[in-house]
Amino acid sequence: MRANTWAGRNKVEVRDVPDPKILNKRDAIVRITSTAICGSDLHLLDGYVPTMQDGDVMGHEFMGEVIEVGPGVAADTLRVGDRVVVPFPIACGACAACAAELYSCCENSNPNAGIAEKMFGHPVAGIYGYSHLTGGFAGGQAQYARVPFADVNPLKIESDLADEQVLFLSDILPTGYMGAEMCDIQPSDVVAVWGAGPVGQFAMDSARVLGAAKVIAVDKEPYRLRMAEQAGHIPVNFDEVDVRSRLLELTGGRGPDKCIDAVGMEATHGSAHIAAYDRIKQAVRAETERPHALRQAIMSCRSGGVVSVIGVYGGLLDKFPAGAWMNRSLTLRTGQCHVQRYMGPLLQRIERGEIDPTRIITHWLPLAAAPHGYDIFKNKEDNCEKIVLKP
Amino acid sequence: MELTAATTVRKPATEVYAFWRDLENLATFMTHLEQVRVTGERTSHWVAGAPFGEDVEWDAEIVDEVPGGRIAWRSIGNADVPNAGTVRFVPAPDGVSTEVHVVLVYDIPGGAVGKAVAKYFGEEPHQQLDDDLRRFKQVLETGEVVRSDGAPWGKRARKEFPQRPAQPLSDAELAKGAEP
Protein backbone atom coordinates (compact mmCIF):
# COMPACT_ATOMS: atom_id res chain seq x y z
CA MET A 1 0.00 0.00 0.00
CA ARG A 2 0.96 3.68 -0.19
CA ALA A 3 1.68 5.48 3.06
CA ASN A 4 3.04 8.83 4.18
CA THR A 5 6.23 8.19 6.16
CA TRP A 6 8.70 10.17 8.25
CA ALA A 7 11.95 10.52 6.32
CA GLY A 8 14.09 12.51 8.74
CA ARG A 9 13.72 15.94 10.27
CA ASN A 10 11.42 18.18 8.24
CA LYS A 11 10.81 15.54 5.58
CA VAL A 12 7.92 13.21 4.89
CA GLU A 13 7.70 10.91 1.90
CA VAL A 14 4.87 8.84 0.39
CA ARG A 15 6.26 5.33 -0.10
CA ASP A 16 5.21 1.75 -0.78
CA VAL A 17 5.05 -0.24 2.45
CA PRO A 18 3.59 -3.69 3.22
CA ASP A 19 -0.15 -3.95 3.88
CA PRO A 20 -1.00 -4.22 7.58
CA LYS A 21 -1.89 -7.60 9.04
CA ILE A 22 -3.55 -8.88 12.19
CA LEU A 23 -0.87 -9.13 14.93
CA ASN A 24 -3.09 -9.50 18.01
CA LYS A 25 -6.40 -11.34 18.29
CA ARG A 26 -8.40 -8.19 19.00
CA ASP A 27 -7.02 -6.31 15.93
CA ALA A 28 -8.98 -5.13 12.93
CA ILE A 29 -7.76 -3.87 9.56
CA VAL A 30 -9.41 -0.71 8.25
CA ARG A 31 -9.43 0.50 4.64
CA ILE A 32 -8.99 4.23 5.10
CA THR A 33 -11.42 6.52 3.31
CA SER A 34 -10.35 9.83 4.88
CA THR A 35 -7.39 10.88 6.99
CA ALA A 36 -5.99 14.22 8.14
CA ILE A 37 -2.81 16.04 9.06
CA CYS A 38 -2.80 17.17 12.70
CA GLY A 39 -0.93 20.09 14.24
CA SER A 40 0.82 17.60 16.48
CA ASP A 41 2.18 15.84 13.37
CA LEU A 42 4.21 19.01 12.87
CA HIS A 43 6.00 18.40 16.20
CA LEU A 44 7.01 14.98 14.84
CA LEU A 45 7.98 16.49 11.48
CA ASP A 46 10.26 18.99 13.21
CA GLY A 47 11.95 16.26 15.22
CA TYR A 48 10.98 17.75 18.60
CA VAL A 49 9.33 14.53 19.72
CA PRO A 50 12.11 11.98 20.25
CA THR A 51 12.15 8.36 19.01
CA MET A 52 10.93 8.90 15.45
CA GLN A 53 12.48 6.57 12.87
CA ASP A 54 12.94 6.78 9.13
CA GLY A 55 10.02 4.92 7.58
CA ASP A 56 7.50 5.43 10.40
CA VAL A 57 3.99 5.73 8.94
CA MET A 58 2.50 9.05 10.08
CA GLY A 59 -1.04 9.98 11.00
CA HIS A 60 -3.47 9.48 13.87
CA GLU A 61 -6.70 10.97 12.50
CA PHE A 62 -8.41 8.46 10.25
CA MET A 63 -11.59 6.62 9.42
CA GLY A 64 -12.74 4.00 7.01
CA GLU A 65 -14.26 0.59 6.50
CA VAL A 66 -13.42 -2.54 8.47
CA ILE A 67 -12.13 -5.18 6.03
CA GLU A 68 -10.82 -7.80 8.47
CA VAL A 69 -11.20 -8.59 12.16
CA GLY A 70 -9.08 -10.81 14.39
CA PRO A 71 -10.47 -13.91 16.10
CA GLY A 72 -10.74 -12.02 19.42
CA VAL A 73 -13.19 -9.41 18.10
CA ALA A 74 -16.73 -10.47 18.98
CA ALA A 75 -19.27 -10.00 16.18
CA ASP A 76 -21.52 -7.91 18.41
CA THR A 77 -18.73 -5.33 18.77
CA LEU A 78 -17.37 -4.94 15.25
CA ARG A 79 -17.84 -6.64 11.90
CA VAL A 80 -16.33 -6.52 8.43
CA GLY A 81 -18.10 -3.77 6.51
CA ASP A 82 -18.62 -1.48 9.51
CA ARG A 83 -17.85 2.19 8.88
CA VAL A 84 -15.72 3.50 11.72
CA VAL A 85 -13.87 6.52 13.07
CA VAL A 86 -10.73 5.45 14.96
CA PRO A 87 -9.74 7.37 18.14
CA PHE A 88 -6.05 8.30 18.24
CA PRO A 89 -5.20 6.89 21.69
CA ILE A 90 -5.17 3.09 21.69
CA ALA A 91 -6.98 1.80 24.78
CA CYS A 92 -7.31 -1.76 26.09
CA GLY A 93 -10.61 -1.16 27.85
CA ALA A 94 -9.63 -3.34 30.82
CA CYS A 95 -6.98 -1.56 32.93
CA ALA A 96 -7.60 0.85 35.79
CA ALA A 97 -6.98 3.89 33.55
CA CYS A 98 -9.54 2.70 31.00
CA ALA A 99 -12.00 1.91 33.80
CA ALA A 100 -11.60 5.54 34.93
CA GLU A 101 -12.13 6.70 31.30
CA LEU A 102 -8.53 7.96 31.16
CA TYR A 103 -8.01 6.27 27.81
CA SER A 104 -4.90 8.20 26.74
CA CYS A 105 -3.22 6.86 29.88
CA CYS A 106 -4.07 3.21 29.10
CA GLU A 107 -1.67 0.97 31.02
CA ASN A 108 -1.50 -1.83 28.47
CA SER A 109 -1.56 -0.48 24.91
CA ASN A 110 2.03 0.79 24.69
CA PRO A 111 4.59 -1.97 24.02
CA ASN A 112 7.31 0.64 24.60
CA ALA A 113 5.99 1.63 28.02
CA GLY A 114 9.51 1.29 29.43
CA ILE A 115 10.74 4.07 27.15
CA ALA A 116 7.76 6.33 27.86
CA GLU A 117 8.23 5.77 31.58
CA LYS A 118 11.76 7.15 31.39
CA MET A 119 10.49 10.35 29.70
CA PHE A 120 7.29 10.87 31.66
CA GLY A 121 7.71 9.06 34.97
CA HIS A 122 4.85 6.73 34.14
CA PRO A 123 3.93 5.32 30.74
CA VAL A 124 1.22 6.59 28.38
CA ALA A 125 -1.07 4.84 25.93
CA GLY A 126 -0.09 3.75 22.46
CA ILE A 127 -0.90 6.26 19.69
CA TYR A 128 -0.96 5.65 15.93
CA GLY A 129 1.89 7.16 13.94
CA TYR A 130 3.20 9.15 16.86
CA SER A 131 6.79 8.06 17.56
CA HIS A 132 8.08 4.95 19.28
CA LEU A 133 7.62 6.56 22.66
CA THR A 134 3.91 5.92 22.19
CA GLY A 135 4.37 2.39 20.97
CA GLY A 136 5.70 2.45 17.42
CA PHE A 137 2.27 1.88 15.85
CA ALA A 138 2.00 2.53 12.10
CA GLY A 139 -0.24 5.53 11.45
CA GLY A 140 -3.29 6.29 9.36
CA GLN A 141 -1.95 8.51 6.57
CA ALA A 142 -2.09 5.41 4.44
CA GLN A 143 -4.48 3.24 2.48
CA TYR A 144 -4.92 0.75 5.32
CA ALA A 145 -4.26 0.61 9.05
CA ARG A 146 -4.16 -2.01 11.76
CA VAL A 147 -6.42 -1.07 14.70
CA PRO A 148 -5.59 -2.86 17.98
CA PHE A 149 -8.32 -3.57 20.57
CA ALA A 150 -10.81 -3.04 17.77
CA ASP A 151 -13.62 -4.40 19.94
CA VAL A 152 -13.45 -1.39 22.26
CA ASN A 153 -11.96 1.56 20.33
CA PRO A 154 -13.57 2.49 17.00
CA LEU A 155 -16.80 4.47 16.83
CA LYS A 156 -19.27 2.96 14.38
CA ILE A 157 -20.98 5.48 12.11
CA GLU A 158 -24.41 4.17 11.27
CA SER A 159 -25.94 7.33 9.84
CA ASP A 160 -25.24 8.77 6.40
CA LEU A 161 -23.07 11.64 7.67
CA ALA A 162 -20.26 12.40 5.22
CA ASP A 163 -16.66 11.52 6.14
CA GLU A 164 -15.72 15.15 6.73
CA GLN A 165 -18.52 15.56 9.27
CA VAL A 166 -17.25 12.74 11.49
CA LEU A 167 -13.52 12.38 10.69
CA PHE A 168 -12.46 14.88 13.34
CA LEU A 169 -14.06 12.79 16.08
CA SER A 170 -10.76 10.86 15.88
CA ASP A 171 -8.85 13.62 17.66
CA ILE A 172 -9.22 17.37 17.21
CA LEU A 173 -12.92 17.81 17.96
CA PRO A 174 -12.80 15.79 21.22
CA THR A 175 -9.45 17.41 22.05
CA GLY A 176 -10.89 20.92 21.67
CA TYR A 177 -14.00 19.87 23.55
CA MET A 178 -12.01 18.39 26.44
CA GLY A 179 -10.05 21.66 26.61
CA ALA A 180 -13.33 23.51 27.16
CA GLU A 181 -14.80 20.85 29.45
CA MET A 182 -11.77 21.02 31.76
CA CYS A 183 -12.60 24.74 32.21
CA ASP A 184 -15.80 23.90 34.08
CA ILE A 185 -17.51 26.72 32.19
CA GLN A 186 -20.12 28.87 33.95
CA PRO A 187 -22.64 31.10 32.11
CA SER A 188 -20.76 34.25 33.14
CA ASP A 189 -17.38 33.03 31.92
CA VAL A 190 -15.16 34.73 29.40
CA VAL A 191 -12.96 32.06 27.81
CA ALA A 192 -9.76 32.93 25.97
CA VAL A 193 -8.20 30.39 23.63
CA TRP A 194 -4.55 30.65 22.57
CA GLY A 195 -4.13 29.22 19.08
CA ALA A 196 -6.72 29.49 16.31
CA GLY A 197 -5.58 26.33 14.60
CA PRO A 198 -8.01 23.41 14.21
CA VAL A 199 -7.96 22.34 17.87
CA GLY A 200 -8.25 25.96 19.05
CA GLN A 201 -11.25 26.55 16.76
CA PHE A 202 -13.00 23.49 18.19
CA ALA A 203 -12.11 24.55 21.75
CA MET A 204 -13.80 27.89 20.99
CA ASP A 205 -16.90 26.26 19.50
CA SER A 206 -17.07 23.88 22.47
CA ALA A 207 -16.73 26.71 25.00
CA ARG A 208 -19.71 28.38 23.35
CA VAL A 209 -21.72 25.14 23.27
CA LEU A 210 -20.93 24.70 26.98
CA GLY A 211 -22.39 28.14 27.69
CA ALA A 212 -19.53 30.65 27.86
CA ALA A 213 -20.63 34.29 27.76
CA LYS A 214 -17.79 35.33 25.47
CA VAL A 215 -15.04 33.46 23.62
CA ILE A 216 -11.76 35.11 22.58
CA ALA A 217 -9.26 33.82 20.00
CA VAL A 218 -5.56 34.73 20.40
CA ASP A 219 -3.34 34.14 17.36
CA LYS A 220 -1.28 36.09 14.85
CA GLU A 221 -2.44 34.65 11.54
CA PRO A 222 -5.11 37.00 10.11
CA TYR A 223 -6.81 34.20 8.16
CA ARG A 224 -7.12 32.01 11.25
CA LEU A 225 -8.46 34.91 13.32
CA ARG A 226 -10.94 35.68 10.53
CA MET A 227 -12.12 32.07 10.63
CA ALA A 228 -12.67 32.36 14.39
CA GLU A 229 -14.45 35.68 13.97
CA GLN A 230 -16.76 34.23 11.31
CA ALA A 231 -17.73 31.57 13.83
CA GLY A 232 -18.67 34.29 16.32
CA HIS A 233 -15.53 34.51 18.45
CA ILE A 234 -13.56 37.68 19.25
CA PRO A 235 -10.14 37.87 17.55
CA VAL A 236 -7.01 39.20 19.30
CA ASN A 237 -3.89 39.45 17.12
CA PHE A 238 -0.78 39.25 19.29
CA ASP A 239 1.33 40.71 16.48
CA GLU A 240 -0.76 43.87 16.55
CA VAL A 241 -1.81 44.44 20.15
CA ASP A 242 -0.55 43.74 23.65
CA VAL A 243 -2.49 40.63 24.56
CA ARG A 244 -2.78 41.26 28.29
CA SER A 245 -4.06 44.84 27.79
CA ARG A 246 -6.55 43.76 25.16
CA LEU A 247 -7.82 40.90 27.34
CA LEU A 248 -8.24 43.27 30.30
CA GLU A 249 -10.18 45.62 28.06
CA LEU A 250 -12.44 42.80 26.85
CA THR A 251 -13.13 41.61 30.42
CA GLY A 252 -13.59 44.86 32.31
CA GLY A 253 -10.15 44.52 33.86
CA ARG A 254 -10.78 41.06 35.34
CA GLY A 255 -8.89 38.89 32.85
CA PRO A 256 -10.46 35.84 31.22
CA ASP A 257 -12.08 33.46 33.71
CA LYS A 258 -10.84 30.46 31.81
CA CYS A 259 -7.83 30.18 29.49
CA ILE A 260 -7.08 27.38 27.04
CA ASP A 261 -3.61 26.71 25.61
CA ALA A 262 -4.24 25.12 22.21
CA VAL A 263 -0.71 25.85 21.01
CA GLY A 264 1.80 23.75 22.90
CA MET A 265 5.49 23.29 22.47
CA GLU A 266 6.25 25.33 19.38
CA ALA A 267 4.64 28.66 20.16
CA THR A 268 5.78 31.90 18.61
CA HIS A 269 5.97 35.09 20.63
CA GLY A 270 5.27 38.72 19.73
CA SER A 271 8.36 39.82 21.62
CA ALA A 272 11.47 38.96 19.62
CA HIS A 273 13.95 38.58 22.47
CA ILE A 274 11.72 36.23 24.47
CA ALA A 275 11.00 34.18 21.36
CA ALA A 276 14.74 33.98 20.63
CA TYR A 277 15.53 32.82 24.19
CA ASP A 278 13.31 29.77 23.89
CA ARG A 279 13.97 29.17 20.20
CA ILE A 280 17.70 28.91 20.82
CA LYS A 281 17.32 26.73 23.92
CA GLN A 282 15.02 24.43 21.93
CA ALA A 283 17.36 24.35 18.93
CA VAL A 284 20.28 23.22 21.09
CA ARG A 285 17.96 20.82 22.90
CA ALA A 286 18.54 22.58 26.24
CA GLU A 287 14.74 22.91 26.51
CA THR A 288 12.23 20.97 24.49
CA GLU A 289 9.40 23.50 24.60
CA ARG A 290 8.69 27.08 23.60
CA PRO A 291 5.90 27.71 26.08
CA HIS A 292 4.90 31.31 25.32
CA ALA A 293 1.20 30.59 25.04
CA LEU A 294 1.14 28.74 28.35
CA ARG A 295 3.05 31.52 30.13
CA GLN A 296 0.75 34.18 28.72
CA ALA A 297 -2.37 32.18 29.56
CA ILE A 298 -1.25 31.83 33.18
CA MET A 299 -0.34 35.51 33.49
CA SER A 300 -3.62 36.60 31.86
CA CYS A 301 -6.08 34.38 33.67
CA ARG A 302 -8.10 35.99 36.44
CA SER A 303 -7.31 34.91 39.98
CA GLY A 304 -9.00 31.64 40.85
CA GLY A 305 -9.44 30.78 37.19
CA VAL A 306 -8.64 27.66 35.22
CA VAL A 307 -5.83 27.24 32.69
CA SER A 308 -6.60 24.26 30.50
CA VAL A 309 -3.76 22.85 28.40
CA ILE A 310 -4.49 20.79 25.29
CA GLY A 311 -1.52 21.97 23.21
CA VAL A 312 1.09 19.23 23.17
CA TYR A 313 4.19 19.31 25.36
CA GLY A 314 6.83 16.62 25.15
CA GLY A 315 9.48 17.26 27.74
CA LEU A 316 10.82 20.12 29.86
CA LEU A 317 10.21 23.83 29.78
CA ASP A 318 11.89 26.89 31.27
CA LYS A 319 10.52 29.92 33.06
CA PHE A 320 7.22 28.45 34.16
CA PRO A 321 5.36 31.26 35.99
CA ALA A 322 4.87 29.26 39.16
CA GLY A 323 4.45 32.41 41.25
CA ALA A 324 1.39 33.59 39.31
CA TRP A 325 -0.01 30.07 39.30
CA MET A 326 0.39 29.53 43.03
CA ASN A 327 -0.28 32.97 44.48
CA ARG A 328 -3.38 33.62 42.37
CA SER A 329 -5.07 30.29 43.06
CA LEU A 330 -5.04 29.13 39.46
CA THR A 331 -6.01 25.60 38.54
CA LEU A 332 -3.95 23.96 35.81
CA ARG A 333 -5.70 21.10 34.04
CA THR A 334 -4.41 19.10 31.13
CA GLY A 335 -4.20 15.79 29.31
CA GLN A 336 -3.93 14.08 25.98
CA CYS A 337 -7.56 13.75 25.04
CA HIS A 338 -9.47 10.72 26.29
CA VAL A 339 -11.15 10.59 22.90
CA GLN A 340 -13.26 7.48 23.52
CA ARG A 341 -15.05 9.35 26.33
CA TYR A 342 -16.31 12.08 23.96
CA MET A 343 -16.88 10.43 20.57
CA GLY A 344 -20.47 9.30 21.14
CA PRO A 345 -21.77 12.51 22.76
CA LEU A 346 -20.02 14.69 20.16
CA LEU A 347 -21.41 12.61 17.31
CA GLN A 348 -24.85 13.42 18.70
CA ARG A 349 -23.99 17.13 18.82
CA ILE A 350 -22.92 16.93 15.16
CA GLU A 351 -26.15 15.11 14.25
CA ARG A 352 -28.15 17.80 16.06
CA GLY A 353 -26.22 20.53 14.20
CA GLU A 354 -24.76 22.09 17.35
CA ILE A 355 -21.21 21.82 16.07
CA ASP A 356 -20.10 21.94 12.42
CA PRO A 357 -16.69 20.26 12.20
CA THR A 358 -16.41 20.93 8.46
CA ARG A 359 -16.01 24.69 8.91
CA ILE A 360 -12.25 24.40 9.45
CA ILE A 361 -11.41 22.37 6.32
CA THR A 362 -9.46 24.45 3.82
CA HIS A 363 -7.76 21.76 1.73
CA TRP A 364 -8.58 18.38 0.25
CA LEU A 365 -5.53 16.58 -1.11
CA PRO A 366 -4.75 13.11 -2.42
CA LEU A 367 -2.50 11.04 -0.12
CA ALA A 368 0.27 11.41 -2.70
CA ALA A 369 0.34 15.16 -1.98
CA ALA A 370 0.88 14.72 1.77
CA PRO A 371 4.41 16.24 1.70
CA HIS A 372 3.00 19.37 0.06
CA GLY A 373 0.24 19.39 2.67
CA TYR A 374 2.75 19.27 5.54
CA ASP A 375 4.61 22.11 3.88
CA ILE A 376 1.70 24.52 3.55
CA PHE A 377 0.27 23.57 6.95
CA LYS A 378 3.59 24.10 8.71
CA ASN A 379 4.33 27.38 6.94
CA LYS A 380 0.72 28.59 7.10
CA GLU A 381 0.66 29.14 3.35
CA ASP A 382 -2.40 29.31 1.12
CA ASN A 383 -4.54 30.10 4.22
CA CYS A 384 -4.11 26.50 5.30
CA GLU A 385 -6.13 25.55 8.39
CA LYS A 386 -6.99 21.87 8.01
CA ILE A 387 -6.05 19.34 5.38
CA VAL A 388 -8.06 16.20 4.68
CA LEU A 389 -6.20 13.53 2.72
CA LYS A 390 -7.90 11.02 0.45
CA PRO A 391 -5.97 7.75 0.13
CA MET B 1 21.88 -9.91 42.61
CA GLU B 2 18.45 -9.10 43.97
CA LEU B 3 15.72 -7.59 41.78
CA THR B 4 12.39 -6.28 42.99
CA ALA B 5 9.44 -4.99 41.02
CA ALA B 6 5.71 -4.52 41.44
CA THR B 7 2.65 -4.06 39.29
CA THR B 8 -1.08 -3.83 39.89
CA VAL B 9 -3.44 -6.05 37.93
CA ARG B 10 -7.14 -5.28 37.76
CA LYS B 11 -8.20 -8.83 38.63
CA PRO B 12 -8.88 -10.58 41.93
CA ALA B 13 -5.92 -12.08 43.79
CA THR B 14 -7.15 -15.66 43.33
CA GLU B 15 -7.09 -15.28 39.55
CA VAL B 16 -3.73 -13.51 39.42
CA TYR B 17 -2.23 -16.09 41.78
CA ALA B 18 -3.65 -18.98 39.75
CA PHE B 19 -2.09 -17.68 36.53
CA TRP B 20 1.35 -17.42 38.15
CA ARG B 21 0.99 -20.74 39.99
CA ASP B 22 0.57 -22.42 36.61
CA LEU B 23 4.34 -22.00 36.22
CA GLU B 24 4.32 -22.87 32.53
CA ASN B 25 2.67 -19.46 31.99
CA LEU B 26 5.82 -17.68 33.16
CA ALA B 27 7.55 -18.26 29.83
CA THR B 28 4.79 -16.33 28.03
CA PHE B 29 5.82 -13.01 29.59
CA MET B 30 9.30 -13.41 31.16
CA THR B 31 11.81 -12.50 28.49
CA HIS B 32 14.68 -14.73 29.51
CA LEU B 33 12.60 -17.90 29.88
CA GLU B 34 12.18 -20.22 26.92
CA GLN B 35 10.16 -22.80 28.77
CA VAL B 36 9.00 -23.90 32.20
CA ARG B 37 7.82 -27.50 32.47
CA VAL B 38 5.98 -28.75 35.53
CA THR B 39 7.56 -32.02 36.69
CA GLY B 40 5.75 -32.63 39.98
CA GLU B 41 3.44 -31.20 42.61
CA ARG B 42 6.10 -28.70 43.71
CA THR B 43 8.88 -29.19 41.16
CA SER B 44 9.50 -27.81 37.69
CA HIS B 45 12.19 -27.64 35.01
CA TRP B 46 13.21 -24.20 33.69
CA VAL B 47 14.99 -23.41 30.40
CA ALA B 48 16.48 -19.95 29.87
CA GLY B 49 17.10 -18.52 26.41
CA ALA B 50 20.31 -17.61 24.66
CA PRO B 51 20.82 -14.31 26.48
CA PHE B 52 21.60 -16.31 29.61
CA GLY B 53 24.24 -18.36 27.78
CA GLU B 54 23.80 -21.59 25.86
CA ASP B 55 21.60 -24.28 27.39
CA VAL B 56 21.07 -22.83 30.81
CA GLU B 57 18.57 -25.15 32.49
CA TRP B 58 17.72 -25.90 36.06
CA ASP B 59 15.16 -27.58 38.28
CA ALA B 60 13.19 -25.59 40.80
CA GLU B 61 10.93 -26.38 43.71
CA ILE B 62 8.23 -24.41 45.42
CA VAL B 63 9.36 -23.93 49.01
CA ASP B 64 6.48 -21.89 50.37
CA GLU B 65 2.98 -21.27 49.18
CA VAL B 66 -0.15 -19.54 50.42
CA PRO B 67 -2.98 -19.96 47.88
CA GLY B 68 -4.07 -16.54 46.65
CA GLY B 69 -1.32 -14.86 48.66
CA ARG B 70 2.22 -15.99 48.00
CA ILE B 71 4.53 -18.33 46.09
CA ALA B 72 8.24 -18.81 46.84
CA TRP B 73 10.59 -21.03 44.84
CA ARG B 74 14.29 -21.77 44.48
CA SER B 75 16.51 -23.70 42.12
CA ILE B 76 17.67 -27.14 43.25
CA GLY B 77 20.56 -29.40 42.26
CA ASN B 78 23.52 -28.06 40.34
CA ALA B 79 21.92 -25.04 38.67
CA ASP B 80 24.31 -23.03 36.45
CA VAL B 81 22.77 -19.87 37.88
CA PRO B 82 21.38 -20.67 41.33
CA ASN B 83 18.30 -18.52 41.85
CA ALA B 84 15.26 -18.03 43.99
CA GLY B 85 12.09 -15.99 43.79
CA THR B 86 9.10 -14.85 45.76
CA VAL B 87 5.88 -13.32 44.50
CA ARG B 88 3.24 -11.87 46.83
CA PHE B 89 -0.34 -11.11 45.80
CA VAL B 90 -1.88 -8.33 47.88
CA PRO B 91 -5.40 -6.92 47.44
CA ALA B 92 -5.10 -3.29 46.27
CA PRO B 93 -6.89 -0.45 48.09
CA ASP B 94 -9.42 -0.09 45.23
CA GLY B 95 -11.02 -3.37 46.26
CA VAL B 96 -10.83 -4.69 42.70
CA SER B 97 -7.16 -5.04 41.82
CA THR B 98 -4.23 -7.08 43.06
CA GLU B 99 -0.74 -5.78 43.79
CA VAL B 100 1.94 -8.19 42.58
CA HIS B 101 5.28 -7.85 44.39
CA VAL B 102 8.17 -9.85 42.99
CA VAL B 103 11.66 -10.49 44.38
CA LEU B 104 14.17 -12.46 42.31
CA VAL B 105 17.61 -13.40 43.62
CA TYR B 106 20.36 -14.64 41.27
CA ASP B 107 23.62 -16.09 42.49
CA ILE B 108 25.72 -15.06 39.51
CA PRO B 109 28.64 -17.43 38.96
CA GLY B 110 32.03 -16.68 37.41
CA GLY B 111 33.00 -17.84 33.92
CA ALA B 112 31.16 -17.58 30.63
CA VAL B 113 27.66 -18.13 32.03
CA GLY B 114 28.18 -15.44 34.66
CA LYS B 115 29.36 -13.03 31.98
CA ALA B 116 26.36 -13.81 29.76
CA VAL B 117 23.97 -13.25 32.65
CA ALA B 118 25.66 -9.98 33.64
CA LYS B 119 25.58 -8.81 30.03
CA TYR B 120 21.93 -9.75 29.74
CA PHE B 121 20.88 -7.66 32.70
CA GLY B 122 23.15 -4.82 31.64
CA GLU B 123 23.23 -1.50 33.40
CA GLU B 124 19.57 -1.48 34.28
CA PRO B 125 18.72 -4.95 35.58
CA HIS B 126 15.40 -3.75 37.01
CA GLN B 127 14.16 -2.77 33.56
CA GLN B 128 13.89 -6.44 32.51
CA LEU B 129 11.71 -7.38 35.43
CA ASP B 130 9.61 -4.22 35.09
CA ASP B 131 8.96 -5.10 31.45
CA ASP B 132 8.23 -8.73 32.36
CA LEU B 133 5.56 -7.58 34.82
CA ARG B 134 4.10 -5.17 32.26
CA ARG B 135 3.58 -8.14 29.92
CA PHE B 136 2.17 -10.21 32.79
CA LYS B 137 -0.39 -7.45 33.33
CA GLN B 138 -1.14 -7.27 29.59
CA VAL B 139 -1.78 -10.99 29.39
CA LEU B 140 -4.08 -11.03 32.42
CA GLU B 141 -5.99 -7.84 31.58
CA THR B 142 -6.16 -8.00 27.78
CA GLY B 143 -5.56 -11.67 26.94
CA GLU B 144 -2.14 -11.46 25.29
CA VAL B 145 1.10 -9.53 24.95
CA VAL B 146 0.47 -6.34 22.97
CA ARG B 147 2.36 -5.96 19.69
CA SER B 148 3.07 -2.90 17.54
CA ASP B 149 4.73 -2.52 14.17
CA GLY B 150 7.81 -1.03 15.85
CA ALA B 151 7.90 -3.73 18.55
CA PRO B 152 6.12 -6.68 16.96
CA TRP B 153 7.67 -9.59 18.79
CA GLY B 154 6.08 -9.41 22.17
CA LYS B 155 8.43 -10.49 24.90
CA ARG B 156 11.34 -10.71 22.49
CA ALA B 157 11.16 -6.93 22.02
CA ARG B 158 13.58 -6.22 24.85
CA LYS B 159 16.39 -3.85 24.07
CA GLU B 160 14.95 -3.66 20.57
CA PHE B 161 15.71 0.03 20.22
CA PRO B 162 16.04 1.67 17.87
CA GLN B 163 13.24 -0.56 16.73
CA ARG B 164 12.10 -1.52 13.29
CA PRO B 165 10.15 1.34 11.69
CA ALA B 166 6.51 1.81 12.63
CA GLN B 167 5.23 0.43 9.36
CA PRO B 168 3.51 -2.88 8.65
CA LEU B 169 5.63 -6.01 8.43
CA SER B 170 6.21 -7.83 5.16
CA ASP B 171 5.25 -11.49 4.86
CA ALA B 172 8.95 -12.41 5.04
CA GLU B 173 9.42 -10.44 8.28
CA LEU B 174 6.28 -12.00 9.75
CA ALA B 175 7.47 -15.50 8.85
CA LYS B 176 10.91 -14.81 10.29
CA GLY B 177 9.49 -13.32 13.45
CA ALA B 178 7.21 -16.27 14.00
CA GLU B 179 10.26 -18.44 14.62
CA PRO B 180 11.07 -18.72 18.31
Side-chain angles (χ1 to χ4, degrees), chain A residues 6-298:
Chain A
W6 198 75
R9 193 174 295 173
N10 285 317
K11 193 171 174 215
V12 291
E13 210 173 274
V14 178
R15 300 185 232 201
D16 280 318
V17 303
D19 289 348
K21 294 166 192 76
I22 303 282
L23 293 181
N24 281 115
K25 289 177 192 147
R26 292 166 63 191
D27 290 351
I29 306 294
V30 170
R31 181 182 62 82
I32 296 168
T33 53
S34 293
T35 176
I37 304 174
C38 179
S40 60
D41 288 332
L42 299 178
H43 306 318
L44 305 177
L45 178 73
D46 294 348
Y48 288 123
V49 175
T51 74
M52 287 298 289
Q53 272 181 241
D54 188 5
D56 286 355
V57 178
M58 304 281 291
H60 56 266
E61 299 179 6
F62 60 98
M63 64 177 296
E65 182 193 342
V66 176
I67 58 162
E68 190 183 351
V69 294
V73 179
D76 59 345
T77 57
L78 197 72
R79 289 167 193 261
V80 169
D82 282 347
R83 184 172 174 235
V84 293
V85 178
V86 179
F88 80 82
I90 301 169
C92 76
C95 67
C98 287
E101 298 195 317
L102 297 167
Y103 301 103
S104 72
C105 301
C106 173
E107 297 162 12
N108 287 318
S109 63
N110 184 353
N112 296 332
I115 303 162
E117 195 171 58
K118 284 193 177 66
M119 281 288 290
F120 299 145
H122 290 277
V124 292
I127 299 177
Y128 301 95
Y130 205 70
S131 87
H132 291 252
L133 197 62
T134 57
F137 288 94
Q141 286 163 11
Q143 292 178 295
Y144 300 91
R146 164 185 172 242
V147 174
F149 302 118
D151 51 342
V152 293
N153 283 296
L155 174 75
K156 278 190 262 189
I157 303 296
E158 279 150 332
S159 63
D160 57 358
L161 288 170
D163 273 18
E164 63 266 29
Q165 288 172 293
V166 293
L167 172 62
F168 303 141
L169 288 168
S170 58
D171 175 356
I172 55 173
L173 178 54
T175 296
Y177 185 86
M178 186 169 114
E181 191 196 61
M182 288 190 294
C183 288
D184 187 20
I185 290 169
Q186 306 300 312
S188 60
D189 280 350
V190 177
V191 178
V193 179
W194 274 257
V199 167
Q201 301 279 349
F202 286 151
M204 295 170 212
D205 291 357
S206 301
R208 187 179 48 210
V209 163
L210 291 171
K214 198 185 275 188
V215 180
I216 299 166
V218 182
D219 204 298
K220 74 177 170 68
E221 298 297 333
Y223 74 93
R224 292 188 165 188
L225 288 168
R226 262 198 313 278
M227 183 177 270
E229 194 173 13
Q230 279 160 9
H233 314 303
I234 303 164
V236 172
N237 187 327
F238 69 75
D239 257 0
E240 291 170 358
V241 298
D242 177 70
V243 173
R244 186 169 173 276
S245 312
R246 181 71 183 126
L247 290 175
L248 289 176
E249 201 177 305
L250 285 166
T251 57
R254 302 185 305 275
D257 302 280
K258 309 289 162 65
C259 295
I260 299 174
D261 169 5
V263 177
M265 67 202 289
E266 293 183 65
T268 49
H269 194 283
S271 166
H273 67 281
I274 296 175
Y277 169 87
D278 290 293
R279 189 68 193 81
I280 290 164
K281 290 206 78 167
Q282 195 176 47
V284 300
R285 271 43 186 183
E287 153 180 70
T288 53
E289 331 290 54
R290 304 198 303 260
H292 311 306
L294 178 59
R295 289 184 191 133
Q296 202 169 59
I298 290 173

Side-chain angles (χ1 to χ4, degrees), chain B residues 48-61:
Chain B
F52 256 35
E54 292 295 315
D55 297 330
V56 175
E57 305 189 18
W58 66 91
D59 288 306
E61 68 170 350

